[in-house]
Amino acid sequence: MSHAIPLRISQLIKPRTRLEEIFLDILVRIFALIPIGALSFIMFKIIQKGAGVITWEFLTQPPLDGMTHGGIFPCIFGTFAITLLMILMALPLGVAAAIYLVEFAGPGLFFRITRAAVNNLAGVPSIVFGLFGVGFFILFVGRNLDKVLQTGLLFGQPCMLWAAATLAVLVLPVIIVSTEEALNAVPQSQRAASLALGATKWQTIWRVVLPQARGGILTGAILSISRGAGETAPILFTGCAYFLPRLPVTKLFGVIPMINPFDQFMELSYHIFIMATQSLDAVKTLPIQYGTTLVLIAMTFLLNLAAISFRVHFRKKMGTVSV
Amino acid sequence: MIARTLAGGALADLDRDDVAQNPVKISVHDLNMYYGNVRALHGITMDIKERAVTALIGPSGCGKSTFLRTLNRMNDTIPGARIEGIVTIDGVNIYAPDVNVAALRRMVGMVFQKQNPFPKSVFDNVAYGPRLHGITDRAFLEHRVEESLKKSALWDEVKDRLHTSAMQLSGGQQQRLCIARVLAVNPEIILMDEPASALDPLSTAKIEELIHQLRKHYTIVIVTHNMQQAARVSDYTAYFYMGSLVEFGETKGIFTNPEKKETEDYITGRFG
């Protein structure tokens, strides 16, 4: 029986098992394709319908003719201004909180509560942040500031300041967690070297730990900007406007142009929202919606790209740190 | 004349025989150290002489590194570490409540087991300590960096690349850079925690030669696992076991004629 041995081997491999494996193999491949497919579909559709809309005028002009023509420059400006204000508030706070958690907090109850708070903050729906912004920043902080400072109705109304503050609270967990990771990645031996040279704890943090964590912190900051720039719900009630005939700028001392944090503003994601749901003729404004979406997505992609290249750059620059 | 030791290494042919006349620099009296409830050091009492090399030997976990870290209060950074007893440097109790720990650590420098340069340039590594004191004068810093690198026998190897990353130096060079970084803050005492254990034999020889040079000006306390190294570089040797100081005396005596049986067993390799 010359084929006895091959026969026995083929009996060992159950045909059904082989089919099962092929089936599962195909199944996981399909699942893996879903995110790629979804992203490609979204991008294809948006680029197909939006690319033609994007012209120099679209990027530099305000909306015209009852918002059925013209451009989206005030929205681009507003998005830029609000994320700038947001990161100016969120970065120092988030980094400070992370420094506390990594460098100072002992393994006690307070540490565990803070950790849990940060994690839960990340899970709060963004519309809740929007309502929190109205209730806390505008009605509580703002109105009371107005009372104390005798400023009439300056702080106690929706404006860029409070919208940015609301976004800052939203992205705080992103910054805290990424900063914590960056600080933890700095070897303990580096802190020991600095302390042994007679540095105080703060000198060590400032001169050794933070410079080495800079790449990770910046990456977190950029990711939080791209997260914050795309949010609509938190700014819905806290400061963005349907349409503003002017840019939210003012002149400091009457000369230096700067963002006016007490003005309302137009914003890309909110613009898409109102164009799709509130405009007089949603079909007529469809090209504008696609164009605005494309601009928003392109901004977010660019920011993510910047975050990735930062990370690569800093990894190269740090070289191999002895642990 | 170079004497041979029980451990098989050559005793240092010390060019001064008067270290015994040197004053006491560090005085430790009945020192106990705890990590939480675990007692790591048991009533250590010893006097460490100025401008001499004192080696701490003993098996892993015997408390020699822990003891070393009590001398510049690096154990302060470990949560749950607690100390009883007195450590004085030049007669001042370094555990007194009004002691400035940062100032103490400038006076008592430390070199670690694994070389830990900062990911900065060679120059910035050495200038780190002086800059902590607020020194910004460029000429002063340049002078201090050059002087420190010369003292640590690294100057000739790095003088043309002071502004390249310290990470590009070899392991042995990095360790000598760490020594230069310590020297730049003008310490009086240098603690070394197995400074050559991660280095190749040639780099180890350079570090030992350096210790030999430095002992003329600094009080050096060195932890080592290497018996021959202790015999080669030190004037005094302390043998630790299970958190206790078993025997302490002149290296010559400890390595040729130890008083205690445990010490002899350890240095002749019959133990651990």
Side-chain angles (χ1 to χ4, degrees):
Chain A
M1 299 281 274
S2 60
H3 63 278
I5 291 167
L7 192 77
R8 281 172 66 192
I9 289 174
S10 72
Q11 277 171 341
L12 282 174
I13 305 163
K14 284 188 203 157
R16 207 184 53 181
T17 310
R18 231 164 45 196
L19 263 180
E20 263 173 14
E21 296 216 341
I22 290 167
F23 176 71
L24 281 173
D25 191 73
I26 291 170
L27 202 67
V28 290
R29 274 166 206 271
I30 289 170
F31 286 159
L33 276 175
I34 289 174
I36 303 172
L39 183 68
S40 320
F41 178 77
I42 293 170
M43 289 311 292
F44 175 76
K45 199 82 178 155
I46 289 168
I47 291 172
Q48 183 198 25
K49 305 252 185 167
V53 183
I54 297 190
T55 57
W56 181 243
E57 281 69 33
F58 185 73
L59 295 175
T60 55
Q61 293 291 313
L64 300 167
D65 301 334
M67 299 178 78
T68 53
H69 291 93
I72 55 164
F73 179 69
C75 305
I76 297 174
F77 180 86
T79 302
F80 173 76
I82 190 152
T83 47
L84 182 70
L85 277 181
M86 171 200 81
I87 203 69
L88 285 180
M89 293 186 230
L91 193 60
L93 273 177
V95 170
I99 287 176
Y100 168 75
L101 287 171
V102 175
E103 307 289 339
F104 290 95
L109 184 69
F110 187 66
F111 172 77
R112 288 209 301 275
I113 292 173
T114 317
R115 282 266 43 179
V118 171
N119 288 336
N120 284 307
L121 201 60
V124 173
S126 57
I127 187 69
V128 177
F129 279 105
L131 295 169
F132 164 80
V134 179
F136 181 75
F137 286 123
I138 300 174
L139 297 178
F140 178 71
V141 179
R143 292 280 155 89
N144 282 314
L145 271 178
D146 280 340
K147 249 183 237 162
V148 173
L149 301 173
Q150 302 284 314
T151 40
L153 196 66
L154 180 66
F155 289 102
Q157 58 172 349
C159 62
M160 199 184 287
L161 176 69
W162 300 133
T166 308
L167 279 179
V169 180
L170 176 96
V171 299
L172 212 48
V174 181
I175 293 181
I176 291 175
V177 170
S178 59
T179 305
E180 266 188 287
E181 275 169 16
L183 295 177
N184 279 322
V186 178
Q188 284 301 331
S189 63
Q190 293 283 312
R191 293 176 180 85
S194 173
L195 291 171
L197 287 165
T200 62
K201 192 155 189 172
W202 270 114
Q203 283 175 320
T204 300
I205 291 170
W206 195 250
R207 291 167 187 248
V208 173
V209 180
L210 281 180
Q212 292 186 42
R214 196 170 42 187
I217 295 171
L218 278 175
T219 308
I222 295 171
L223 289 176
S224 72
I225 288 175
S226 85
R227 166 93 201 274
E231 283 290 344
T232 320
I235 57 172
L236 203 56
F237 317 114
T238 50
C240 61
Y242 184 87
F243 177 74
L244 272 186
R246 59 177 192 281
L247 287 178
V249 287
T250 182
K251 287 210 165 73
L252 194 63
F253 310 121
V255 263
I256 310 159
M258 62 165 271
I259 298 160
N260 183 2
F262 298 109
D263 208 341
Q264 297 200 351
F265 57 96
M266 295 178 74
E267 203 262 355
L268 285 169
S269 63
Y270 183 68
H271 195 63
I272 298 166
F273 172 67
I274 53 141
M275 281 297 198
T277 60
Q278 325 267 301
S279 69
L280 302 170
D281 190 345
V283 179
K284 216 171 168 184
T285 60
L286 211 54
I288 299 182
Q289 291 171 38
Y290 275 112
T292 312
T293 308
L294 184 56
V295 170
L296 181 60
I297 284 193
M299 269 176 77
T300 313
F301 266 42
L302 277 178
L303 284 168
N304 286 339
L305 207 65
I308 292 165
S309 57
F310 254 124
R311 201 162 15 193
V312 172
H313 172 77
F314 274 100
R315 256 187 213 152
K316 262 189 207 151
K317 206 179 146 194
M318 297 307 293
T320 45
V321 180
S322 55
V323 183
Chain B
M1 187 204 91
I2 295 176
R4 305 299 297 182
T5 67
L6 291 173
L11 277 170
D13 185 19
L14 301 176
D15 39 15
R16 290 178 307 156
D17 291 84
D18 57 343
V19 283
Q21 263 74 57
N22 286 4
V24 171
K25 186 73 177 172
I26 308 170
S27 182
V28 181
H29 184 73
D30 198 17
L31 180 74
N32 293 302
M33 158 97 193
Y34 302 84
Y35 290 123
N37 292 323
V38 182
R39 193 170 173 185
L41 292 176
H42 297 260
I44 310 291
T45 297
M46 66 190 284
D47 285 340
I48 294 169
K49 297 264 182 177
E50 190 174 55
R51 279 173 290 115
V53 178
T54 302
L56 312 178
I57 61 171
S60 298
C62 70
K64 55 194 192 304
S65 287
T66 299
F67 175 71
L68 192 76
R69 294 165 71 89
T70 63
L71 301 180
N72 68 343
R73 294 187 57 172
M74 279 302 279
N75 51 13
D76 285 15
T77 60
I78 302 164
R82 193 161 50 81
I83 208 158
E84 285 168 3
I86 297 170
V87 179
T88 64
I89 293 177
D90 293 337
V92 176
N93 182 6
I94 62 168
Y95 283 93
D98 57 344
V99 164
N100 177 344
V101 180
L104 168 74
R105 291 184 188 144
R106 270 175 234 147
M107 193 177 138
V108 188
M110 189 167 205
V111 179
F112 294 84
Q113 182 173 4
K114 183 84 172 70
Q115 59 275 13
N116 54 359
F118 300 126
K120 302 169 186 271
S121 71
V122 172
F123 185 94
D124 288 344
N125 263 278
V126 184
Y128 182 82
R131 279 176 176 151
L132 284 178
H133 317 282
I135 295 169
T136 51
D137 182 58
R138 190 76 194 170
F140 182 91
L141 284 175
E142 278 172 3
H143 176 73
R144 180 61 69 81
V145 168
E146 180 176 341
E147 183 187 59
S148 305
L149 286 169
K150 278 178 175 162
K151 276 191 205 163
S152 68
L154 189 60
W155 176 251
D156 290 333
E157 292 160 61
V158 300
K159 64 177 182 229
D160 298 322
R161 43 174 176 160
L162 289 177
H163 298 285
T164 57
S165 171
M167 294 305 170
Q168 289 171 10
L169 301 180
S170 73
Q173 288 173 327
Q174 287 186 3
Q175 192 61 302
R176 276 179 285 147
L177 179 68
C178 291
I179 294 174
R181 191 171 64 179
V182 168
L183 296 177
V185 289
N186 273 341
E188 293 172 26
I189 300 165
I190 302 173
L191 310 177
M192 297 185 174
D193 191 356
E194 299 185 46
S197 66
L199 303 178
D200 62 86
L202 206 68
S203 302
T204 302
K206 280 185 183 162
I207 299 277
E208 287 182 12
E209 171 59 28
L210 181 55
I211 292 170
H212 217 71
Q213 297 298 318
L214 294 174
R215 68 187 270 284
K216 292 172 191 139
H217 307 283
Y218 302 92
T219 305
I220 296 174
V221 185
I222 177 171
V223 165
T224 178
H225 260 125
N226 181 330
M227 291 307 106
Q228 288 90 334
Q229 185 172 68
R232 283 191 300 262
V233 302
S234 70
D235 303 291
Y236 293 92
T237 297
Y239 173 56
F240 280 75
Y241 183 62
M242 305 266 286
S244 296
L245 178 61
V246 176
E247 189 165 350
F248 174 50
E250 285 189 40
T251 300
K252 213 183 291 174
I254 295 258
F255 276 87
T256 53
N257 191 18
E259 280 174 21
K260 301 252 171 72
K261 180 81 171 57
E262 302 102 289
T263 315
E264 184 175 342
D265 285 350
Y266 182 68
I267 60 181
T268 52
R270 256 174 268 155
F271 172 94

